[in-house]
Amino acid sequence: MKKKAEGNVSTVKPFVLLGFSDLSNLQGFLFGVFIIIYIIIIIGNSLIIILTRLDPALHKPMYFFLANFSLLEICYVSVTLPRMLANLWTQDRSISFLECATQMYFFLMLGATECFLLAVMAYDRYVAICNPLHYPLVMNQKICTQLALGSWTIGIPVQMGLTAQIFSLNFCNSTEINHFFCDTLPVIRLACGDISHHEMFIYVEAMVIVAVPFVLIIISYSKIISTILKLRTVSEKAKGFSTCSSHLLVVILFFGSATIAYLRPKSRHSAGTDKLLSLFYTIVTPMFNPMIYSLRNKDVMAALRKLVFKK
């Protein structure tokens, strides 16, 4: 893909996030919808963090990782949603070069964290179901802390390098990003000259960040399902599936939408479809995650009832 510069090339001119500017009559409605979603995400995930801290019954590796996941979801949506709300409220869609680069970096870094944290949570379920006698030894506090810390930090150097590479490009006079945040592909398409190798690098990097954790999750769940099917009674099988069904549903929602968004053929890319898919995995999925984990988890519901009645 080639673009020729028309006039002076500038790397400091502010970008413009078009977002949902084509829906001019729905700006107020969209602001109301998205601020309600943001409040739900903050309250729901904060409640899970509070419950896992206060209730001794939830002081287990599974809920330690769940608390990390809830904190991650709050950070993840806070990278994009407040900016989008400000754009809808003020109708000022400009974003500086540095702000755009910062937003992209944290979005990519936290996205990588989510991929690896979901893989760690799958490994936790694998050990709990396939090696229950060794579970307390394998998933001790030190190992859990190291796995969580590794998930949070593993994407930092890779995404920092990718962001620096993208924003070292020369951008043409067109600075309108047809998206609601500074995502990689919409930004890189504003660059001048041949960007095909940069696009290829993004696809390869996405494959590594998404595919490696996903393969680990598939391996874990293949062993989990094999172990559960060998259980003797239906009640034992049902209990085994119930302990990992919430996590599996979250994995399908996140990886499914992210894979379609980033790894589908370029011929099927369109600005409207990209925005809808991005909305799903950046906003809708984090909103549903607390509901999935709380409504489908007896321990979390028991802790919630205990907290409510205590108050």
Side-chain angles (χ1 to χ4, degrees):
M1 179 177 179
K2 292 185 178 181
K3 288 186 179 180
K4 292 183 179 179
E6 299 176 3
N8 294 329
V9 174
S10 173
T11 58
V12 295
K13 187 177 179 181
F15 292 108
V16 177
L17 291 169
L18 295 181
F20 303 98
S21 57
D22 53 328
L23 304 173
S24 56
N25 297 328
L26 297 175
Q27 298 298 292
F29 173 75
L30 290 173
F31 178 84
V33 169
F34 288 130
I35 198 169
I36 290 171
I37 290 175
Y38 190 42
I39 292 170
I40 292 172
I41 291 171
I42 296 297
I43 292 176
N45 285 287
S46 297
L47 187 58
I48 287 180
I49 295 171
I50 293 169
L51 290 175
T52 55
R53 292 286 296 174
L54 295 181
D55 196 314
L58 300 183
H59 292 174
K60 300 174 182 177
M62 174 182 176
Y63 300 109
F64 169 75
F65 293 126
L66 179 56
N68 271 268
F69 190 71
S70 295
L71 176 61
L72 172 64
E73 294 293 61
I74 292 173
C75 297
Y76 192 52
V77 297
S78 295
V79 170
T80 57
L81 200 44
R83 183 80 200 194
M84 183 170 66
L85 290 170
N87 292 349
L88 288 169
W89 181 257
T90 64
Q91 295 300 301
D92 178 11
R93 305 180 187 281
S94 63
I95 181 170
S96 72
F97 185 85
L98 181 59
E99 288 173 331
C100 190
T102 303
Q103 186 185 58
M104 180 185 290
Y105 165 68
F106 280 104
F107 171 76
L108 293 174
M109 187 271 286
L110 293 171
T113 299
E114 182 150 356
C115 291
F116 285 99
L117 191 55
L118 285 171
V120 167
M121 294 170 77
Y123 175 70
D124 171 70
R125 292 298 82 206
Y126 158 73
V127 178
I129 293 173
C130 300
N131 298 288
L133 296 179
H134 296 94
Y135 184 71
L137 180 63
V138 175
M139 300 303 292
N140 58 57
Q141 186 176 359
K142 181 180 178 182
I143 295 296
C144 290
T145 303
Q146 290 174 342
L147 288 172
L149 187 61
S151 299
W152 280 94
T153 58
I154 194 169
I156 291 177
V158 177
Q159 306 300 10
M160 189 176 292
L162 177 60
T163 305
Q165 183 187 35
I166 290 174
F167 283 89
S168 65
L169 295 171
N170 291 325
F171 293 96
C172 305
N173 281 344
S174 176
T175 56
E176 293 184 344
I177 302 172
N178 196 0
H179 215 312
F180 60 89
F181 70 98
C182 291
D183 201 359
T184 51
L185 293 177
V187 170
I188 201 173
R189 285 168 185 157
L190 300 180
C192 305
D194 186 1
I195 60 168
S196 57
H197 64 288
H198 293 282
E199 287 184 314
M200 182 58 66
F201 182 79
I202 290 173
Y203 281 114
V204 171
E205 189 266 349
M207 280 291 292
V208 172
I209 293 295
V210 174
V212 171
F214 188 67
V215 168
L216 294 175
I217 291 170
I218 293 297
I219 293 172
S220 296
Y221 271 102
S222 64
K223 294 181 179 294
I224 288 171
I225 293 171
S226 176
T227 300
I228 291 175
L229 292 176
K230 292 177 183 177
L231 296 175
R232 295 180 180 180
T233 65
V234 175
S235 61
E236 287 178 331
K237 292 179 181 179
K239 184 178 179 181
F241 280 118
S242 68
T243 60
C244 56
S245 59
S246 298
H247 176 259
L248 188 57
L249 183 56
V250 170
V251 166
I252 292 171
L253 287 173
F254 178 77
F255 279 98
S257 56
T259 300
I260 294 171
Y262 284 97
L263 301 181
R264 72 187 192 280
K266 286 198 295 183
S267 59
R268 297 187 180 182
H269 276 272
S270 70
T273 305
D274 288 348
K275 281 189 276 191
L276 284 175
L277 287 169
S278 298
L279 275 177
F280 193 82
Y281 69 83
T282 59
I283 297 174
V284 177
T285 302
M287 180 181 67
F288 282 122
N289 286 349
M291 302 177 194
I292 293 171
Y293 275 110
S294 58
L295 296 177
R296 298 178 63 86
N297 190 295
K298 294 180 180 178
D299 291 340
V300 174
M301 289 301 295
L304 180 59
R305 284 193 294 268
K306 193 186 302 181
L307 179 65
V308 171
F309 287 122
K310 186 183 292 185
K311 295 295 182 183

